[in-house]
Amino acid sequence: MSGGAFGTEVTAAGVASSVLQVALTVAGAPLLVGLMRQIRARMEGRAGAGVGQPWRDLRKLMRKKPLAPDGTGPLFRTAPLVQVATALMVAAAIPFVSVRTGLGGAADLIAVVALLTLGTAALALAGLDTGTAFGGMGASREMTITALAEPTVLMATFALSTRVGSTNLPAIVDASLKDAGRVISPVSVLAAFALAAVVLAEAGRLPVDNPSTHLELTMVHEAMVLEYSGPDLALVELAASMRLAVLLGLWSALFLPWGTATSTGVPAVAGATVLFTLKVGVLGAVLAAGEVFMAKLRLFRVPELLAGSFLLAVLAVAASFFL
Amino acid sequence: MNVIGSALAVAAGCAGAAIPAAVVSPSWLRAKAAGTLTAAVGVCGIVSGAAALSGRTFTARLPDVLPLAGVYLGVDALSGLFIAIAGAVIAIVALYGIGYAQNGHDPGRASSAALPVFAAALLLVPAAASVSTFLFFWELMAVSSLLLILAEHKKRDSVREAGLWYAVMTQLGFVLILLALAWPAATAHGETFTAIRAAAPAMSPLMRGAVFVLALAGFGSKSGIVPLHAWLPRAHPEAPSPVSALMSAVMVNLGSYGVIRVGMDLLSGGSRWWWLTAMAAGAVSAVYGILQASVTGDLKQLLAYSTTENMGLVLLGIGTAGLFRTSHQSVLAGIALAAALLHVVTHSAFKALLFCSAGSVLRATGVRDLDALGGLRAAMPVTTAVFAIGALGAAALPGGAGFVSEWLLLQSLIHGLAMPGIVVSVVLPIAVAAVALSAGLAVAAFVKALGTGFLARPRSDGAARAAESPAAMTWTMAVLAAACTVLAVAPGLLGSALARAVGAVSPGGAAVSDAVGRRLAVLGSTLSPLVVVAGTVGGAMVVAAVLRLAAGPRRRAVPLWDCGAGPPSARMQYTATSFAEPLQRVFDDVLAPESDVDVTPAVESEYLVQTVSYHRAVPDRIEHRLYAPVIAAARWAGQAARALANGSVHRYLGYAFSSLVVLLVALAAIK
């Protein structure tokens, strides 16, 4: 069992690198969203609000008074907390900068996928809890997309796990670092495409969902969170940007693992931090640039995209058994 | 007689005492007396199961109990696991039933007397060690559960229909199991399991295969495996909720027990195609069950379909174990079997909880239709909270009981790479896809159940009148919820018990048991559900504290914004049907929903519409396509056979004479 090497042992350096990852994600995720908006604005010929605008928005929202809309219950209030907490947990667990994270016991691909789904489910329940037509509509659409996206993620992760014999993320990343050929194998390429489509769906990006839309017919994520305001909305926005950052980070950890520190030395970790920030930034920039040329899919065309990516993921698993 | 035997004897004694107690006691005492004695049966089950899981075994022959054959009992660790699960669920659900019966929900004399018998039969089926004993207890379980399903037959016509479906399916299943067990018993010249086990290697492969297929179909029909699941979504919703909980959390398990006992133990392994068949049936059941659950609008029917899904996953795990075993990978097979057994345990916990909380809702509102529920969280906070915990388990999300067992199932499938052969390379990816798809759809199904059933505002008078259930019900549900949470964060507690149960039916015995236990410990070290849950809860608390510091504790109550549209009415909410509509559209080709628009024009002009009625249903397609023709054919055969019986005695004598002649000719030809 190669996975056993990355078990639940907790070291000071591991905890430090987990804390570093969480701090990096919290601080960097709104900047990532700002960067993507800025790139998009420039490519569309607008001046743009600047990379720091999401942080300024969050600051403004945090200063407002919290509200309790009539007829909403405890689930409505806790859902943003759950979403942020799951994103934090995932940020701490995935080996972004070092394969020696402090949360070995949670650094499992299936657990990571399930945690992100838990956040989605919590927000969908909050949307239903408002009892408005929009809340229900957003929740229904979001759960349809999740129900089809989660299997794809599980399949793709499974394909990457069979070779290593473990779903332990540090073990998978470590194996690809030791054997670079693994990353460009057919299994990995198929899984990379499948996961890319799902990252778009889970993070609510074009062509699955338009994060800047306020048109009723096309809203998914925005429709669920219409009733949130002030600090609650700040949490929802922060969680959404963190999920985007974490998903891009997961993709880069699986398919562009180079530079991730395998030791706990300060120079290695510092270098890995810079490289990781760069990787996620470039991925975000590419995504933003791509979105300029893309229109949102009709809601009932989205399952076709997801079914396609599911098929790729099945092929990846089959390839991992055959090749 | 050791502790296992004594506990089983006490259980049988309690059940025997409960029958007269239920019959003679006055109605105010009846439910309490029957419930307490049934709970005692359950406690005995826990004791004997725990003793068997700690390594003891028990065998006994009681020649005078049943005429002709006598009773053979044999309890090993595998039986012990199923007895312990059954005992635990029975003990809690029986106490829940006492609360359920308060305030005019008395189940009546017959049901109160049948409940302890059913409970005892659930414990004794896994303890049986001969064909006749097994069949006797199996039939006792079937008949007593039928009586319990029919408890409310005076209130609703649909109960009678459900009872009929259950009776027919369970008896057909019994016939298949009878054939599957009697045939090898006849060949082995002995009806004890020991005799069959000894004679099995000498039987022809064809016969062993046929026996396995018969057993798979017979036991599969009890587990609700597609396509033999038709009774489950009818009977579980119509039975009183404590009975639904027992049936869905315990009785269906015994189908899985039967497949393991016959396939792996009595027939000791077998060929690859057996297990591929089991895997295929399991995978289809998992996906089809949860797909139906995600589009149905009836709360208890949703739970029943989810049972089909989970039993499908268990069968998938059993099939994988059998497949690995045919390649002599006994440790891998042990891990897969341990995953299946762990899923049996976790499913029992969360499904008992879900049916109990659904019962609490039904009792308070009189409504099962999710479209007409809603708004229960303020009136029924405990029920809502425990349903949420159960739903978390059923959706296989972290913090829920189902997550760990599905995780272990996927772990066992990952290691299938070590297996040779092209069949494995084709089958295992499909199995993974089935698990993944059912996991995704389960999230949607249970978000729907919790979100439209319990949150937002009430959509009917029944839901608006709801009040929290009596304390006897809420605390038993709280116990079940606590059990689910313990299973979710500390599944490692079960490691050695699972390893022993696996060892009991593995060819290597104790050696395999040890190896499986060690491997489970290694696997357990790579994922700590406790860390995941504690980290998430801790993170949420830190964020909440930060928020409180930044924004202050007080929230100002304001009207819903709803895009400025003003206060929305309850009819503007999303219902379960509308929630599931996109999914239904995506799986249109599989589900084949029926919709019907009926327009009645006014008399004066066809352009003036008087009424429009819209009707939509998602019928069970397999039931439509498979059962309808079979029922039609049976009916046709019955009608045609009426011509044979015209009432003439001469004709009947002629029939008797000709059959005698045919028989004699046949005998002469054979000799």
Side-chain angles (χ1 to χ4, degrees):
Chain A
M1 284 293 296
S2 52
F6 298 94
T8 40
E9 81 273 23
V10 177
T11 59
V15 173
S17 73
S18 277
V19 171
L20 173 70
Q21 289 184 178
V22 170
L24 194 63
T25 315
V26 173
L31 294 178
L32 173 69
V33 172
L35 174 75
M36 290 171 69
R37 284 192 197 153
Q38 188 66 17
I39 288 173
R40 202 178 158 147
R42 285 294 162 83
M43 289 182 74
E44 289 172 350
R46 292 183 283 122
V51 174
Q53 187 58 35
W55 262 121
R56 290 193 282 276
D57 289 343
L58 289 179
R59 197 182 56 191
K60 180 187 74 182
L61 289 171
M62 285 303 284
R63 284 175 183 163
K64 296 190 177 235
K65 285 261 179 261
L67 302 182
D70 280 345
T72 55
L75 234 160
F76 178 78
R77 302 202 215 312
T78 44
L81 294 177
V82 173
Q83 236 201 352
V84 172
T86 50
L88 286 174
M89 191 67 203
V90 170
I94 302 177
F96 287 147
V97 298
S98 163
V99 294
R100 307 255 167 220
T101 56
L103 284 169
D108 183 274
L109 254 177
I110 299 173
V112 163
V113 174
L115 272 174
L116 289 174
T117 313
L118 179 64
T120 313
L123 208 59
L125 285 170
L128 282 168
D129 196 30
T130 61
T132 61
F134 280 125
M137 185 181 77
S140 162
R141 292 177 173 180
E142 181 84 347
M143 287 324 294
T144 306
I145 293 171
T146 304
L148 300 171
E150 204 202 352
T152 311
V153 192
L154 280 177
M155 290 299 284
T157 56
F158 191 88
L160 298 169
S161 312
T162 39
R163 279 298 147 117
V164 189
S166 167
T167 50
N168 189 265
L169 261 168
I172 295 170
V173 173
D174 196 50
S176 6
L177 280 174
K178 284 189 182 126
D179 176 12
R182 205 186 270 278
V183 179
I184 47 165
S185 69
V187 176
S188 192
V189 172
L190 285 166
F193 276 103
L195 259 185
V198 174
V199 166
L200 297 181
E202 291 268 324
R205 307 300 301 188
L206 284 171
V208 175
D209 187 12
N210 185 352
S212 56
T213 187
H214 285 284
L215 179 67
E216 292 87 339
L217 292 176
T218 60
M219 285 192 286
V220 180
H221 180 265
E222 293 302 313
M224 284 194 295
V225 304
L226 273 177
E227 294 299 329
Y228 281 115
S229 58
D232 293 325
L233 184 60
L235 282 189
V236 169
E237 297 281 343
L238 180 65
S241 59
M242 281 171 63
R243 284 167 69 93
L244 175 65
V246 160
L247 283 164
L248 289 179
L250 176 66
W251 197 89
S252 77
L254 289 173
F255 304 109
L256 305 167
W258 301 288
T260 310
T262 47
S263 63
T264 47
V266 174
V269 171
T273 310
V274 173
L275 208 59
F276 167 71
T277 318
L278 214 61
K279 278 190 281 191
V280 172
V282 169
L283 281 177
V286 170
L287 189 58
E291 283 184 343
V292 174
F293 301 99
M294 229 186 282
K296 188 185 169 301
L297 278 178
R298 262 184 69 211
L299 183 68
F300 289 103
R301 300 296 296 276
V302 171
E304 292 171 17
L305 174 79
L306 293 173
S309 67
F310 185 65
L311 195 65
L312 284 179
V314 175
L315 281 177
V317 175
S320 74
F321 275 82
F322 276 111
L323 300 175
Chain B
M1 193 182 259
N2 63 8
V3 60
I4 301 175
S6 325
L8 285 179
V10 174
C14 286
I19 300 170
V23 173
V24 300
S25 55
S27 65
W28 63 270
L29 184 65
R30 192 183 299 140
K32 286 194 183 72
T36 311
L37 284 167
T38 310
V41 172
V43 171
C44 294
I46 300 174
V47 171
S48 73
L53 285 174
S54 69
R56 292 165 198 247
T57 55
F58 168 71
T59 50
R61 178 162 180 265
L62 310 167
D64 306 323
V65 176
L66 280 182
L68 297 177
V71 166
Y72 287 84
L73 295 177
V75 178
D76 57 6
L78 182 72
S79 313
L81 183 70
F82 283 87
I83 292 175
I85 299 170
V89 176
I90 289 166
I92 300 174
V93 171
L95 295 176
Y96 167 89
I98 295 177
Y100 193 83
Q102 288 172 11
N103 306 335
H105 290 80
D106 181 33
R109 249 188 208 100
S111 295
S112 299
L115 184 67
V117 178
F118 180 49
L122 289 173
L123 297 184
L124 290 170
V125 165
S130 77
V131 172
S132 56
T133 311
F134 185 88
L135 291 174
F136 176 76
F137 289 135
W138 188 267
E139 190 61 7
L140 193 63
M141 174 178 88
V143 173
S144 52
S145 58
L146 178 59
L147 277 176
L148 288 167
I149 287 175
L150 290 172
E152 293 175 359
H153 72 100
K154 284 184 186 151
K155 294 186 189 157
R156 298 185 302 277
D157 285 345
S158 48
V159 174
R160 264 167 274 173
E161 195 200 328
L164 188 63
W165 270 89
Y166 177 60
V168 171
M169 293 296 290
T170 197
Q171 288 310 307
L172 287 178
F174 180 77
V175 170
L176 294 175
I177 296 169
L178 177 72
L179 286 174
L181 291 177
W183 190 5
T187 319
H189 301 294
E191 58 128 14
T192 61
F193 285 176
T194 323
I196 296 177
R197 207 174 284 137
M203 293 174 195
S204 76
L206 194 67
M207 176 189 155
R208 282 157 37 111
V211 166
F212 180 75
V213 169
L214 285 170
L216 186 64
F219 289 120
S221 77
K222 191 54 94 183
S223 292
I225 294 299
V226 173
L228 303 172
H229 67 289
W231 64 273
L232 213 129
R234 289 163 195 275
H236 287 205
E238 296 300 344
S241 296
V243 178
S244 318
L246 282 184
M247 291 191 4
S248 205
V250 182
M251 190 178 76
V252 294
N253 293 348
L254 297 180
S256 312
Y257 169 78
V259 174
I260 300 174
R261 180 62 78 197
V262 172
M264 296 197 172
D265 185 21
L266 299 186
L267 302 177
S268 60
S271 328
R272 193 168 261 203
W273 67 264
W274 297 12
W275 303 109
L276 291 175
T277 315
M279 285 176 83
V284 171
S285 303
V287 176
Y288 188 80
I290 199 63
L291 195 55
Q292 287 287 350
S294 59
V295 295
T296 182
D298 182 317
L299 179 56
K300 286 179 81 178
Q301 197 172 45
L302 184 149
L303 299 179
Y305 273 122
S306 147
T307 301
T308 290
E309 178 226 350
N310 285 293
M311 286 298 117
L313 290 176
V314 170
L315 190 59
L316 187 63
I318 297 172
T320 311
L323 188 67
F324 288 164
R325 190 167 148 172
T326 55
S327 302
H328 307 290
Q329 300 274 1
S330 53
V331 177
L332 278 186
I335 297 289
L337 190 58
L341 292 176
L342 181 61
H343 199 64
V344 169
V345 177
T346 55
H347 171 252
S348 294
F350 69 69
K351 196 48 70 67
L353 176 59
L354 285 170
F355 265 115
C356 285
S357 42
S360 172
V361 170
L362 183 57
R363 190 176 177 279
T365 63
V367 180
R368 255 174 21 207
D369 186 0
L370 286 170
D371 289 349
L373 282 169
L376 300 177
R377 63 168 141 58
M380 308 180 75
V382 180
T383 305
T384 307
V386 296
F387 188 89
I389 292 174
L392 198 61
L397 291 176
F403 174 67
V404 282
S405 45
E406 290 198 16
W407 179 84
L408 192 59
L409 187 59
L410 285 171
Q411 296 299 319
S412 68
L413 289 168
I414 283 178
H415 297 292
L417 196 63
M419 293 268 302
I422 200 152
V423 179
V424 178
S425 320
V426 174
V427 167
L428 287 190
I430 298 174
V432 179
V435 177
L437 212 68
S438 66
L441 288 168
V443 178
F446 282 93
V447 165
K448 181 186 78 173
L450 181 62
T452 64
F454 292 79
L455 305 181
R457 283 185 299 282
R459 289 182 293 270
S460 67
D461 294 342
R465 279 197 308 270
E468 187 56 272
S469 298
M473 285 165 71
T474 48
W475 78 257
T476 43
M477 291 193 290
V479 170
L480 279 172
C484 283
T485 310
V486 170
L487 281 176
V489 296
L493 297 175
L494 289 176
S496 62
L498 289 175
R500 277 215 183 84
V502 168
V505 289
S506 295
V512 171
S513 170
D514 288 346
V516 169
R518 276 199 302 279
R519 184 66 85 84
L520 282 177
V522 171
L523 278 175
S525 76
T526 65
L527 172 71
S528 160
L530 186 61
V531 171
V532 175
V533 174
T536 311
V537 173
M541 283 164 78
V542 169
V543 176
V546 169
L547 202 65
R548 213 181 156 93
L549 278 180
R554 300 240 349 223
R555 283 176 179 270
R556 193 156 56 90
V558 289
L560 276 172
W561 176 51
D562 198 26
C563 297
S569 80
R571 286 201 47 155
M572 290 157 77
Q573 298 173 71
Y574 253 51
T575 61
T577 311
S578 40
F579 184 86
E581 204 271 348
L583 262 182
Q584 186 188 309
R585 242 204 247 199
V586 172
F587 292 97
D588 209 19
D589 293 338
V590 185
L591 293 166
E594 291 171 356
S595 62
D596 191 15
V597 183
D598 213 1
V599 181
T600 317
V603 192
E604 295 83 31
S605 161
E606 60 178 303
Y607 297 109
L608 295 174
V609 174
Q610 201 162 34
T611 55
V612 178
S613 74
Y614 174 71
H615 173 81
R616 194 181 57 170
V618 187
D620 192 325
R621 199 182 190 187
I622 291 182
E623 196 182 303
H624 254 234
R625 293 283 168 87
L626 186 70
Y627 287 72
V630 171
I631 293 171
R635 179 170 302 211
W636 177 85
Q639 292 289 350
R642 286 177 77 174
L644 293 172
N646 65 351
S648 150
V649 175
H650 296 119
R651 198 163 180 178
Y652 297 161
L653 286 174
Y655 289 153
F657 179 68
S658 49
S659 12
L660 191 65
V661 170
V662 169
L663 201 64
L664 287 172
V665 169
L667 271 179
I670 291 169
K671 294 277 169 179

